């Protein structure tokens, strides 16, 4: 049943006054969103229900909450926000094997799809990591999420919300979500780079479907995170420093102490070209900065040599 169109702002204010005087019935409390007014929070759906008494003489029951209710209130000039109390605390597990086996790019996409699109572990394994879900059974994505502390109660919790607002709520929540916030900030930053207007970025929902395209992850020896560490040591021993093999950036020279030993490891041979049981050696790992690493993995994937030919250096200085 649609919300009657004759409900006006004054009816909402009367409903708020009623709630201030009589309170909110237990079963009518907020579940996901709150209406904020004079530094107080009210359940949006119950506010509309009581506002209909003022407008049409009876309490409204058969109508949808969520976007339908929130849009009516927002159009009348009210502030509707996510209910902070409904963000469950994290329940992290000590096992870090799956989490450390994948890059930030993979982990960030898994976290985003889980929180914003309510994806299953099997879907995440197949569509993001590129595994056969019947074989992996979703255990890789589950391991990543469980290490952070994201469980079933967090699945889809930010559905229909922009990333920037979700970050705001996580920062204001009573519980701490450092890894989740850092991941969403990287997701937001990646999305910002694809938009030309910063104002658009602030209001945009980061929603993307890649259809049948899969981001394939390269295999590492038993998914051992030590591989990249050993590859970095070998590269530094050979060249005396760590730098991007595509654009040449040395993070320590650019960012000082903060950039020391910062670089990403890139697997030269795609998983699609590997045979069953094939392993990865440190010699198979190249050093790349985050930007070049992402450019190489864009569809269609290209080699470091091909990327180097396309790089255009822009020198910025005082003229």
């Amino acid at each position: 049943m649609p919300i009657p169109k004759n409900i006006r702002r004054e009816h909402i204010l009367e409903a708020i006054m009623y709630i201030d005087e009589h309170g909110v019935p237990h079963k009518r409390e907020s579940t996901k969103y709150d209406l904020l007014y004079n530094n107080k929070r009210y359940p949006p759906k119950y506010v509309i229900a009581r506002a209909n008494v003022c407008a049409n003489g009876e309490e409204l029951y058969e109508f949808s909450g969520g976007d339908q209710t929130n849009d009516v209130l927002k159009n009348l000039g009210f502030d509707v926000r996510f209910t902070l109390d409904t963000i469950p605390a994290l329940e992290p597990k000590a096992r870090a094997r799956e989490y450390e086996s994948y890059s930030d790019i993979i982990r960030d996409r898994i976290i985003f799809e889980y929180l914003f699109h309510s994806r299953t572990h099997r879907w995440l394994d197949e569509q993001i990591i590129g595994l056969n879900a019947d074989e992996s059974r979703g255990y890789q994505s589950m391991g990543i999420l469980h290490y952070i502390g994201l469980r079933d109660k967090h699945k889809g919790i930010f559905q229909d919300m922009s990333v920037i607002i979700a970050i705001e709520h996580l920062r204001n929540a009573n519980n701490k979500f450092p890894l989740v916030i850092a991941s969403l900030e990287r997701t937001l930053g990646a999305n910002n780079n694809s938009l030309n207007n910063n104002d658009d970025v602030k209001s945009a929902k980061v929603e993307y479907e890649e259809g049948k395209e899969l981001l394939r992850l390269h295999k590492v020896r038993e998914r051992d995170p030590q591989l990249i560490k050993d590859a970095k040591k070998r590269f530094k021993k050979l060249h005396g420093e760590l730098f991007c093999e595509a654009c040449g950036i040395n993070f320590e020279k650019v960012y000082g102490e903060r950039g020391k030993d910062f670089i990403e490891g890139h697997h030269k041979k795609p998983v699609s070209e590997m045979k069953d049981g094939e392993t990865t050696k440190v010699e198979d790992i190249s050093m790349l900065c985050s930007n070049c690493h992402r450019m190489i993995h864009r569809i269609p994937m290209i080699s470091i040599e091909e990327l180097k030919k396309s790089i255009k250096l822009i020198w910025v200085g005082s003229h």
Side-chain angles (χ1 to χ4, degrees):
M1 178 179 178
I3 297 173
K5 294 183 179 180
N6 66 331
I7 292 180
R8 299 288 182 260
R9 183 178 176 84
E10 58 266 25
H11 301 137
I12 302 298
L13 294 174
E14 288 184 47
I16 289 174
M17 291 175 62
Y18 176 89
I19 292 173
D20 283 339
E21 182 177 353
H22 299 279
V24 179
H26 175 66
K27 293 184 178 181
R28 309 300 292 276
E29 293 174 349
S30 300
T31 57
K32 195 169 184 180
Y33 296 94
D34 283 330
L35 184 158
L36 271 65
Y37 186 76
N38 285 344
N39 295 320
K40 292 183 179 181
R41 291 177 175 265
Y42 302 87
K45 192 169 182 180
Y46 186 55
V47 169
I48 290 291
R50 290 304 310 177
N52 195 66
V53 175
C54 306
N56 300 303
E58 61 180 357
E59 189 166 324
L60 193 64
Y61 289 97
E62 300 298 326
F63 68 101
S64 299
D67 288 342
Q68 181 186 4
T69 295
N70 296 342
D71 288 346
V72 169
L73 293 169
K74 289 176 182 178
N75 289 336
L76 293 174
F78 291 96
D79 185 5
V80 181
R81 299 187 186 181
F82 191 75
T83 304
L84 298 182
D85 293 341
T86 64
I87 304 181
L90 297 175
E91 297 179 17
K93 289 184 66 175
R95 177 185 169 96
R97 180 175 178 178
E98 291 80 12
Y99 181 86
E100 293 179 349
S101 295
Y102 298 92
S103 67
D104 280 344
I105 299 173
I106 296 290
R107 295 195 295 250
D108 292 348
R109 289 190 59 201
I110 286 173
I111 293 168
F112 172 78
E113 292 290 346
Y114 189 74
L115 295 177
F116 289 82
H117 291 157
S118 196
R119 306 296 191 187
T120 66
H121 296 138
R122 285 174 174 265
W123 188 97
L124 295 169
D125 267 16
E126 185 168 304
Q127 298 298 321
I128 295 181
I129 299 179
L131 302 174
N132 183 330
D134 291 334
E135 296 177 359
S136 72
R137 301 172 64 184
Y139 286 153
Q140 294 301 307
S141 296
M142 182 190 298
I144 292 171
L145 294 168
H146 283 189
Y147 174 77
I148 297 170
L150 294 171
R151 304 303 181 108
D152 289 345
K153 58 189 177 183
H154 299 101
K155 185 178 178 182
I157 196 170
F158 294 138
Q159 198 161 341
D160 299 323
M161 184 182 295
S162 69
V163 171
I164 196 167
I165 296 300
I167 293 173
E168 176 188 347
H169 288 314
L170 288 169
R171 285 176 176 160
N172 293 331
N174 293 329
N175 301 304
K176 303 301 180 183
F177 301 88
L179 289 179
V180 180
I181 291 173
S183 174
L184 295 184
E185 285 178 337
R186 287 192 295 267
T187 297
L188 184 63
N191 191 63
N192 287 0
N193 291 336
S194 67
L195 298 174
N196 295 321
N197 189 316
N198 287 334
D199 291 333
D200 290 341
V201 172
K202 293 176 183 178
S203 61
K205 288 184 179 180
V206 184
E207 298 177 358
Y208 52 87
E209 295 288 346
E210 296 188 313
K212 296 181 180 179
E213 292 185 3
L214 301 180
L215 183 57
R216 297 286 183 182
L217 183 75
H218 307 297
K219 287 184 180 178
V220 297
R221 182 169 46 217
E222 296 183 349
R223 301 195 183 282
D224 189 348
Q226 188 63 38
L227 171 65
I228 302 300
K229 295 179 182 179
D230 290 344
K232 286 183 179 182
K233 290 179 182 178
R234 175 181 178 275
F235 190 90
K236 195 170 184 178
K237 185 176 181 180
L238 289 174
H239 302 282
E241 59 182 3
L242 292 176
F243 58 86
C244 176
E245 294 183 61
C247 70
I249 186 174
N250 179 316
F251 283 93
E252 185 174 6
K253 290 181 178 179
V254 175
Y255 298 102
E257 185 65 23
R258 187 177 183 84
K260 185 177 181 180
D261 293 334
F262 183 84
I263 201 75
E264 293 186 4
H266 165 67
H267 299 73
K268 298 176 183 178
K269 189 172 184 179
V271 68
S272 60
E273 298 177 8
M274 288 185 175
K275 299 177 182 178
D276 291 340
E278 188 173 353
T279 59
T280 303
K281 302 177 181 179
V282 291
E283 294 87 351
D284 300 325
I285 304 297
S286 297
M287 298 296 113
L288 292 175
C289 69
S290 304
N291 286 343
C292 289
H293 202 177
R294 291 194 179 201
M295 288 298 100
I296 281 178
H297 279 279
R298 292 194 71 184
I299 305 298
M301 185 175 171
I302 60 176
S303 66
I304 294 177
E305 290 70 25
E306 290 173 310
L307 182 67
K308 288 174 70 173
K309 293 178 182 179
S310 67
I311 292 177
K312 298 178 181 179
L313 296 178
I314 301 176
W315 297 93
V316 180
S318 57
H319 297 285

